[in-house]
Amino acid sequence: MRSSEHIGVVGAGIVGLALARRLLLQRPGIRVTVLEKEDRVAAHQTGHNSGVVHAGLYYKPGSLKATLCRRGVGLLRDYCAEYGLPYDEVGKVVVALDTEEEARLDDIERRAEENGVPGVTRLGPEALRDLEPHAAGVAALHSPTTAITDFVAVAEQLADDVRRSGGRVLLNTPVLDLRQEDDGVRVLTGEPRGERHVHRFDRLVACAGLQSDQLARMAGAGPDPRVVPFRGHYHELVPERRHLVRGLIYPVPDPQYPFLGVHLTRHVHGEVMAGPNAVLATAREGYRFRDLERGEFAQTLAWPGFWRLARRHWGTGVRESLVSVSRTAFARQARRLLPEITGADLRPAQAGVRAQALGRDGSLVDDFRVDAHGRVVCVRNAPSPAATSALAIAEYLADTHVPPR
Ligand SMILES: Cc1cc2nc3c(=O)[nH]c(=O)nc-3n(C[C@H](O)[C@H](O)[C@H](O)COP(=O)(O)OP(=O)(O)OC[C@H]3O[C@@H](n4cnc5c(N)ncnc54)[C@H](O)[C@@H]3O)c2cc1C
């Protein structure tokens, strides 16, 4: 059946673009418009990440992260093959540095099996050295299908697909406000030349990353959970030391902590990165240490959940902040995985800011989270592995939250 609906999507990151493409491919006659405040697609998280296609090792079996990551990997691999985009199964080792970490590998191995991750094997120190000759570790898990890609190239291709299928991607078009009415949603946007414009949609889906709680508030939802931004800095290995890393070398993650810890990743264009660490960002889109948005930072400090989280993790917070400002401290962290690295082998590279949803009670929202408010659907938490999972998140959103009418 042909659809005459007009669906608006806020955000031209990988999630919004994948959804727009999915709707256009699936529903003949539908109109889809993507509204993006920046002058390009993939300007925020999608364009500032590690470029890793996660295989699904860590995620709680049955969670959206676990199921959509596994499905997303297959869809992304096929998509990259179809369009000739980079996709390289360089493989990943999760390295245990002592017997206590080795015991935690058991849990990850069990989860990987339950999640159906193919080919995961346990390595002793010699087998680890065969794969990654310069890595430290008493044991490791090897995931041979963990891959790397270029998520910006993927997002640009998705945007091309949207346009070729008759959809629109409007850049320099920030959503300033929205109003739900009986027959649709009215969306006020700023326009490239400074004027204002009102768009009317039948339904709206907000895939706004670091601003996802703001969009939810505009839709009439409550403030819980709030996005707290965590910046991660990367350092690049100087070219003559890139040979120290063949694929992807990760530490065993701390189960109390939402991020994976500084890892070493080979990128599709040959660079090798160390990072990211995780420090509280004083601006949601602040990529430098000195970036401060007073209003946004005040909002973070005013959120009760932030102080509950800070009390639990203040020691880690201080340590991670030090790693951000000191190359020596950064090298010390990377050296745990790769003992030959020195400060002279590293030079500062990009940073990324993660949108982490945090509950009022201080709990970190672990899984992907989508809420509906009238005619507006809000993606409220889409942290890693959402880039890996984007094509599957798009299927899930389209089928479950924006079903055909
Ligand atoms: C440091 C770091 C490392 C990561 N590593 C990996 C990894 O290796 N593998 C992986 O799978 N995932 C990784 N992730 C996570 C992944 O990048 C994100 O989960 C994913 O990119 C989320 O995509 P998105 O489209 O939801 O958000 P985004 O890419 O942030 O896009 C949201 C878009 O919404 C736009 N927007 C916001 N507000 C408005 C408004 N009012 N009006 C109009 N437009 C608006 C923004 O400008 C932005 O373009 C990492 C993330 C970070 C930060």
Side-chain angles (χ1 to χ4, degrees):
M1 204 178 70
R2 285 184 74 79
S3 165
S4 58
E5 255 201 308
H6 191 183
I7 296 191
V9 175
V10 184
I14 197 165
V15 173
L17 290 168
L19 172 65
R21 169 181 175 272
R22 169 88 192 164
L23 292 169
L24 285 158
L25 291 183
Q26 204 190 24
R27 301 183 197 171
I30 198 171
R31 287 185 295 146
V32 178
T33 300
V34 181
L35 306 167
E36 167 55 53
K37 68 185 170 64
E38 306 293 349
D39 61 1
R40 61 197 187 284
V41 306
H44 291 296
Q45 295 176 95
T46 302
H48 295 85
N49 62 37
S50 298
V52 175
V53 182
H54 289 292
L57 298 181
Y58 314 101
Y59 316 118
K60 193 169 162 214
S63 63
L64 285 176
K65 273 189 179 176
T67 50
L68 298 180
C69 177
R70 282 304 310 143
R71 170 117 183 107
V73 172
L75 293 172
L76 183 61
R77 192 183 47 227
D78 292 351
Y79 189 74
C80 289
E82 186 180 344
Y83 288 99
L85 298 168
Y87 191 98
D88 192 353
E89 288 187 350
V90 290
K92 157 173 168 173
V93 285
V94 182
V95 174
L97 298 176
D98 53 35
T99 47
E100 194 246 320
E101 287 191 356
E102 194 175 351
R104 290 201 329 250
L105 282 184
D106 293 341
D107 295 334
I108 303 174
E109 194 172 6
R110 216 171 302 121
R111 282 193 170 187
E113 200 179 312
E114 280 188 59
N115 291 341
V117 182
V120 175
T121 51
R122 193 70 172 252
L123 307 178
E126 274 156 39
L128 168 62
R129 238 68 78 199
D130 284 344
L131 276 176
E132 290 287 356
H134 304 276
V138 296
L141 272 189
H142 178 223
S143 163
T145 62
T146 300
I148 51 177
T149 188
D150 178 344
F151 285 120
V152 175
V154 173
E156 284 167 349
Q157 184 60 54
L158 291 169
D160 277 359
D161 289 356
V162 169
R163 294 187 192 102
R164 266 191 295 114
S165 315
R168 295 188 303 163
V169 180
L170 304 182
L171 302 175
N172 298 304
T173 307
V175 171
L176 304 175
D177 203 1
L178 51 95
R179 202 167 68 218
Q180 304 220 30
E181 296 178 344
D182 290 344
D183 62 341
V185 188
R186 268 167 231 284
V187 177
L188 177 70
T189 60
E191 300 290 311
R193 281 185 297 278
E195 63 273 37
R196 299 277 195 264
H197 188 81
V198 177
H199 305 254
R200 186 205 161 274
F201 300 109
D202 296 296
R203 287 184 281 177
L204 187 76
V205 188
C207 308
L210 288 152
Q211 313 294 340
S212 53
D213 54 348
Q214 308 292 358
L215 266 293
R217 294 306 300 273
M218 289 181 203
D224 197 1
R226 176 156 295 172
V227 167
V228 174
F230 285 93
R231 193 176 48 247
H233 293 266
Y234 291 87
H235 278 67
E236 186 183 351
L237 253 65
V238 293
E240 45 295 1
R241 301 291 273 169
R242 286 178 183 165
H243 67 277
L244 295 178
V245 178
R246 287 185 177 166
L248 307 167
I249 307 177
Y250 278 65
V252 176
D254 176 347
Q256 303 304 317
Y257 199 57
F259 310 119
L260 294 178
V262 164
H263 38 266
L264 293 141
T265 48
R266 183 163 279 280
H267 282 215
V268 288
H269 303 298
E271 310 91 334
V272 174
M273 297 292 169
N277 64 334
V279 284
L280 179 69
T282 47
R284 287 183 184 219
E285 293 163 4
Y287 294 94
R288 294 163 309 177
F289 208 68
R290 62 177 180 277
D291 289 337
L292 168 68
E293 283 288 337
R294 282 177 205 284
E296 289 178 0
F297 191 43
Q299 275 177 8
T300 298
L301 297 182
W303 186 237
F306 167 73
W307 292 105
R308 296 195 172 106
L309 181 77
R311 243 174 267 134
R312 284 202 307 276
H313 291 295
W314 68 271
T316 314
V318 171
R319 196 175 60 238
E320 293 281 310
S321 300
L322 182 67
V323 167
S324 290
V325 290
S326 155
R327 191 171 357 157
T328 314
F330 206 101
R332 202 178 308 126
Q333 236 186 58
R335 208 160 34 235
R336 287 166 51 78
L337 299 174
L338 209 60
E340 289 166 59
I341 286 193
T342 66
D345 297 331
L346 298 173
R347 57 187 181 210
Q350 62 163 12
V353 185
R354 308 168 181 88
Q356 175 60 53
L358 178 66
R360 182 182 284 281
D361 61 359
S363 59
L364 293 155
V365 180
D366 182 48
D367 208 359
F368 299 149
R369 178 159 155 192
V370 183
D371 292 350
H373 310 278
R375 291 170 176 267
V376 183
V377 172
C378 297
V379 176
R380 290 202 73 150
N381 196 46
S384 184
T388 301
S389 319
L391 293 167
I393 294 176
E395 285 182 347
Y396 165 76
L397 285 171
D399 296 349
T400 311
H401 293 277
V402 200
R405 283 199 172 147

